[in-house]
Amino acid sequence: MNGLIRAELLKARAGRTTWVLAAIAPLTCALWAVLPVFLLDLESAMPMEHRVENVYNMAQQAYVFTLVLGVLAMTGEYRHQTITWAFLVTPSRSRVVAAKLVASGLVGLAIAVVSALATLAAGAALLALRGHPMMTPQVPLVLLGAVASTTLYGLFGVALGALIRKQVVALVVALLWFMYGDYFLSSLLPDVGRWLPTGAARAVGGMHLESGALLPAWGGGLLFAAYVTTLVLAARLFTLRRDIT
Amino acid sequence: MSAITASHLSKDYGDVRAVDDLSFTVESGTITAFLGPNGAGKTTTLRMILGLVTPTEGAAAIDGRAYTELEKPITKVGAVLEATAFHPALTARTHLRVLATAAGLGHARVGHVLDLVDLADAADRKVGHYSLGMRQRLALATALLGDPGVLILDEPANGLDPAGIHWLRGFLRAYAHEGGAVLVSTHVLTEIQQIADQVVIIARGALVRQATLTSGTNLEDLYLEATR
């Protein structure tokens, strides 16, 4: 199993896509942090501490990159037909997917940490510049939560790619779902939203919402992990065993 | 025990029976030519032997065990399936290293197989820039990575230049001479006739002829008569 994971990491390192997305992720997070800092000038019912924490919460915006990398890691094997070699070396298809989950988790973790640090630097600098409080006791937890949720999205991407083998379809489904479907549902119906993957991930990151409470962080983490597990099991049942022609 | 055993292999795709009750064996130290018209079910059969396609009925075995049950399968069986199955952004060396790492093999084998197929000079170029013949040689290198005793090759001469074909013929002959078993599908009858010990001919998924080749056999006549 160790060899399989190392092989997956070797593939991830060798592809340029990994490095490009890993470079853009922290920049995106830093940019996202600008908006909530400027919103601090407006009136809000939300306590100042929460609003400051939401600045650092933008570290979660790296999710889209780990999600896409996870989808690419799995579906790329089908797209380039390298899945044939993978299954010839390791006929246990579940082990191939398991190694991908672990490797994508590690790659996602690295991107998540760098993105959290970038958010921290940009957020703190901007807050200081605008004369707002820079820290709250919760900020380290917020950043840790963002790291956890960003990492989990990478696993989600692998699981989704195992279920939907066509790369373009899997990418479109993932992006539409998280950037629009889940996002709007969560915003419009918070009671439903907290049980959706986005709501679960936001809970892990400890985001403060204007309306509707999220699950506790651990609950969100378990729920998100349950979504990933469900996708993996569905892949195992429906697509993973299909003939490789 | 035979190196490769196909017993009553059948495969249905919807209403179409792609492979129909196909049985044959390949012994160690021999080369078996696997022939048949386009669409006869050769590729499907090879993929069933390799555990990539699940048979509707029947089973296949390598040294008596199903491919999926083999311990470190690429050290037992090497396979060349499609010339294009590489990630275009990886170099040949990285491609081989990835698989060697996944299989728990030493990286020394990577350099060895690159030398063997004469790709050492191009090993650090991206596979996306390779010619068809170079890809084919990389596929052969991949098949040989685990130093297997059985080779399963689907159209291995595809895209090879005359020197490459000459090399492949010599290589397979030596491989079988040293005790290896080879199952090779091809359409180039004059080529395979020079090295094959046995021929298995299928048409519409079913076995139509199995014969031992002797120096007097005209393989083309045999093939045309069997598949008529």
Side-chain angles (χ1 to χ4, degrees):
Chain A
M1 197 67 199
N2 271 339
L4 269 185
I5 295 165
R6 282 208 316 276
E8 289 302 329
L9 289 174
L10 194 55
K11 266 186 252 181
R13 281 210 314 273
R16 197 167 40 186
T17 319
T18 314
W19 295 104
V20 171
L21 293 185
I24 304 175
L27 294 176
T28 307
C29 290
L31 277 176
W32 271 99
V34 175
L35 183 68
V37 171
F38 281 91
L39 286 178
L40 286 172
D41 293 336
L42 304 177
E43 289 295 318
S44 168
M46 201 184 277
M48 194 60 180
E49 287 211 328
H50 287 185
R51 297 170 75 190
V52 168
E53 282 155 17
N54 275 354
V55 172
Y56 296 106
N57 202 277
M58 289 299 144
Q60 277 200 54
Q61 294 298 331
Y63 84 88
V64 71
F65 300 96
T66 53
L67 175 69
V68 165
L69 274 177
V71 171
L72 290 178
M74 194 65 226
T75 56
E77 299 276 5
Y78 289 106
R79 182 177 161 210
H80 300 293
Q81 298 178 306
T82 46
I83 197 73
T84 301
W85 295 121
F87 288 163
L88 284 176
V89 172
T90 315
S92 162
R93 300 181 180 186
S94 300
R95 289 186 62 198
V96 172
V97 175
K100 281 224 185 274
L101 285 169
V102 174
S104 291
L106 292 172
V107 171
L109 180 65
I111 293 175
V113 167
V114 176
S115 299
L117 291 175
T119 314
L120 176 64
L126 278 165
L127 285 167
L129 209 65
R130 305 282 297 176
H132 298 297
M134 280 167 61
M135 264 312 134
T136 79
Q138 291 295 313
V139 167
L141 271 180
V142 166
L143 289 172
L144 268 181
V147 166
S149 88
T150 301
T151 307
L152 281 170
Y153 270 104
L155 306 187
F156 195 101
V158 172
L160 188 71
L163 182 62
I164 304 176
R165 307 189 302 175
K166 283 240 181 298
Q167 185 162 78
V168 175
V169 178
L171 277 178
V172 168
V173 166
L175 293 179
L176 282 184
W177 178 246
F178 283 106
M179 296 179 88
Y180 297 99
D182 222 18
Y183 182 79
F184 284 121
L185 269 176
S186 302
S187 306
L188 294 174
L189 302 167
D191 288 334
V192 180
R194 81 173 65 106
W195 299 100
L196 295 174
T198 299
R202 283 176 171 173
V204 175
M207 185 186 266
H208 302 291
L209 298 179
E210 294 273 359
S211 59
L214 291 166
L215 297 175
W218 62 267
L222 281 180
L223 181 58
F224 200 94
Y227 275 111
V228 173
T229 309
T230 306
L231 282 177
V232 170
L233 289 178
R236 184 86 196 87
L237 276 175
F238 300 118
T239 49
L240 206 51
R241 62 167 75 166
R242 280 196 197 156
D243 292 341
I244 305 297
T245 53
Chain B
M1 188 191 303
S2 301
I4 303 174
T5 312
S7 45
H8 305 289
L9 278 178
S10 295
K11 180 67 185 180
D12 293 338
Y13 286 117
D15 293 336
V16 181
R17 177 144 279 212
V19 176
D20 187 13
D21 196 30
L22 179 59
S23 299
F24 63 88
T25 59
V26 177
E27 307 303 326
S28 293
T30 67
I31 297 174
T32 296
F34 189 39
L35 310 178
N38 290 322
K42 299 188 297 293
T43 297
T44 301
T45 302
L46 298 184
R47 284 180 175 265
M48 285 195 281
I49 295 171
L50 293 165
L52 296 168
V53 167
T54 310
T56 307
E57 284 160 45
I62 308 286
D63 296 331
R65 292 168 72 194
Y67 187 90
T68 51
E69 310 285 315
L70 293 175
E71 197 80 26
K72 286 201 182 186
I74 69 164
T75 63
K76 312 275 192 315
V77 190
V80 170
L81 289 171
E82 290 130 303
T84 53
F86 303 104
H87 195 295
L90 294 189
T91 66
R93 194 186 304 282
T94 307
H95 158 78
L96 291 168
R97 275 199 180 154
V98 164
L99 295 184
T101 306
L105 305 172
H107 283 187
R109 284 293 301 169
V110 171
H112 180 72
V113 294
L114 282 168
D115 284 337
L116 203 59
V117 301
D118 200 19
L119 270 183
D121 290 340
D124 296 307
R125 279 165 54 193
K126 287 184 178 171
V127 179
H129 299 149
Y130 271 25
S131 68
L132 179 60
M134 290 167 83
R135 277 178 221 205
Q136 199 64 12
R137 280 188 273 154
L138 178 56
L140 276 165
T142 313
L144 297 169
L145 193 58
D147 196 17
V150 176
L151 280 180
I152 294 177
L153 311 173
D154 198 1
E155 303 277 355
N158 210 0
L160 291 185
D161 57 21
I165 291 174
H166 174 81
W167 173 84
L168 181 62
R169 190 197 310 139
F171 175 81
L172 292 180
R173 197 177 265 152
Y175 181 84
H177 188 71
E178 285 161 23
V182 182
L183 176 61
V184 53
S185 93
T186 180
H187 292 302
V188 193
L189 302 183
T190 49
E191 184 56 45
I192 197 66
Q193 172 150 29
Q194 300 180 53
I195 54 170
D197 304 289
Q198 184 197 203
V199 59
V200 170
I201 305 175
I202 65 171
R204 274 168 251 101
L207 184 73
V208 290
R209 195 68 180 267
Q210 181 165 17
T212 305
L213 289 181
T214 56
S215 52
T217 318
N218 183 323
L219 186 56
E220 195 173 56
D221 290 346
L222 186 75
Y223 174 87
L224 290 175
E225 192 204 297
T227 56
R228 198 166 41 192

